[in-house]
């Protein structure tokens, strides 16, 4: 009975990992075609499977997705998974990003990669579509070397929850907030890391309220630089942390 239970568990795990591989393979194949061909293919698919239309409409109604950059922090070949360290995603979800053996490819521990993100049913981030980082920030990258695995203890990630959907909005974009309707604040751009695509604004007023500097993404900084005094509106991520929007010169 124990053997049957183990085999069933392994089969379920394999099925989920195969799903991960299939979606990434399909996305990589589709990106080689022009927009018109992809649109026609989707139209044909919906004609065969009308139930997909609602899911596709939900995806298309959101803002375009984005790529993130991080370092492969850990990987256990015998467990078929590891994690990517990405400060932006950690701030949003409070944990590193799950990485399966179907996605890691030829990358190894310490490799700096860019990747897309989807969420499982528990709303936890999963890395997909890995590529080498466009602008590496350091020489930490290395070829795969499984002779020195990371420490054994690490938060568990369930393999039983299949992938649900691609997260389209930026993780720092909360559609329920309307920054333009709120007050504007004044601060100084304290830091910005082009290779990580984010930085922070120092604002005494918001520091007193939230206990942290204000997050600034590369989509908002525009032509401003570190040291510039700016005014800005504020949006919030799912953790209630302030995010700068609509920067203007102070």
């Amino acid at each position: 009975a124990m053997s049957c239970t183990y085999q069933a568990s392994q089969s379920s795990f394999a099925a989920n990992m195969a799903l991960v591989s299939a979606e990434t393979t399909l996305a990589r194949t589709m990106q080689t075609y022009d927009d018109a061909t992809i649109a026609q293919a989707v139209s044909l698919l919906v004609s065969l499977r009308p139930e997909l239309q609602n899911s596709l409409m939900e995806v298309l109604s959101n803002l375009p997705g984005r790529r993130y950059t991080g370092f492969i922090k850990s990987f256990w070949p015998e467990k078929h998974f590891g994690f990517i360290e990405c400060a932006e995603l950690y701030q949003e979800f409070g944990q590193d990003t799950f990485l399966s053996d179907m996605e890691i490819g030829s990358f190894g521990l310490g490799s700096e990669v860019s990747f897309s993100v989807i969420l499982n049913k528990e709303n936890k981030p999963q890395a997909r579509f890995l590529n080498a980082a466009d602008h590496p920030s350091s020489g930490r990258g290395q070829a795969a070397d499984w002779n020195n695995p990371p420490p054994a203890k690490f938060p568990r990630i369930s393999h039983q929850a299949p992938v649900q959907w691609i997260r389209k909005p930026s993780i720092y974009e909360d559609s329920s907030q309307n920054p333009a309707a709120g007050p504007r604040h004044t601060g100084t751009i304290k830091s910005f890391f082009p290779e990580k695509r984010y930085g922070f604004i120092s604002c005494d007023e918001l520091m007193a309220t939230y206990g942290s500097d204000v997050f600034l993404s590369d989509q908002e900084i525009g032509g401003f630089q570190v040291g510039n005094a700016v005014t800005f509106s504020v949006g919030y991520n799912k953790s209630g942390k302030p995010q700068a929007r609509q920067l203007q010169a102070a």
Side-chain angles (χ1 to χ4, degrees):
M2 183 179 296
S3 176
C4 291
T5 301
Y6 174 78
Q7 290 177 358
S9 176
Q10 290 294 95
S11 296
S12 176
F13 173 79
N16 284 329
M17 299 314 290
L19 175 63
V20 170
S21 179
E23 67 189 13
T24 299
T25 299
L26 180 59
R28 288 191 183 278
T29 300
M30 291 180 68
Q31 74 164 351
T32 63
Y33 293 90
D34 60 82
D35 293 352
T37 300
I38 294 174
Q40 290 176 357
V42 171
S43 178
L44 289 172
L45 180 60
V46 171
S47 72
L48 294 172
R49 296 176 57 181
E51 70 276 7
L52 287 175
Q53 185 166 352
N54 288 338
S55 296
L56 290 173
M57 289 297 293
E58 180 181 352
V59 170
L60 295 174
S61 67
N62 291 324
L63 296 174
R66 56 164 295 188
R67 302 278 291 175
Y68 300 91
T69 301
F71 292 93
I72 297 179
K73 176 179 182 178
S74 59
F75 193 79
W76 297 272
E78 72 281 3
K79 295 182 179 179
H80 308 285
F81 71 90
F83 292 91
I84 294 176
E85 178 184 340
C86 174
E88 294 174 82
L89 291 170
Y90 192 92
Q91 183 179 15
E92 173 68 9
F93 295 99
Q95 65 178 58
D96 292 317
T97 303
F98 179 85
L99 173 64
S100 83
D101 62 349
M102 292 294 184
E103 300 293 335
I104 192 170
S106 61
F107 295 108
L109 299 180
S111 292
E112 186 173 11
V113 295
S114 66
F115 57 97
S116 299
V117 170
I118 61 175
L119 305 178
N120 65 11
K121 284 187 175 180
E122 297 175 345
N123 208 42
K124 294 180 179 180
Q126 320 284 304
R128 299 290 186 269
F129 230 151
L130 269 65
N131 287 321
D134 293 334
H135 303 288
S137 60
S138 74
R140 290 169 61 181
Q142 64 186 52
D145 178 8
W146 310 129
N147 294 322
N148 296 294
K153 293 184 178 180
F154 211 89
R156 292 181 179 272
I157 293 292
S158 171
H159 295 294
Q160 302 302 318
V163 170
Q164 191 171 27
W165 64 79
I166 297 175
R167 182 182 179 83
K168 281 294 182 179
S170 165
I171 61 171
Y172 299 106
E173 186 83 30
D174 186 343
S175 59
S176 67
Q177 302 291 337
N178 182 9
R184 291 187 67 80
H185 305 273
T186 302
T188 302
I189 298 178
K190 177 179 180 179
S191 60
F192 192 78
F193 313 95
E195 71 280 2
K196 296 182 178 179
R197 298 167 37 175
Y198 71 91
F200 293 92
I201 294 176
S202 174
C203 174
D204 292 341
E205 176 189 2
L206 293 173
M207 171 65 80
T209 302
Y210 298 100
S212 65
D213 292 320
V214 182
F215 181 88
L216 173 62
S217 80
D218 61 348
Q219 299 177 19
E220 299 291 340
I221 192 170
F224 294 108
Q225 299 178 356
V226 173
N228 287 163
V230 294
T231 66
F232 56 94
S233 300
V234 172
Y236 303 89
N237 67 12
K238 287 189 174 181
S239 299
K241 296 292 187 180
Q243 320 287 303
R245 301 282 186 270
Q246 304 169 336
L247 270 66
Q248 296 177 9

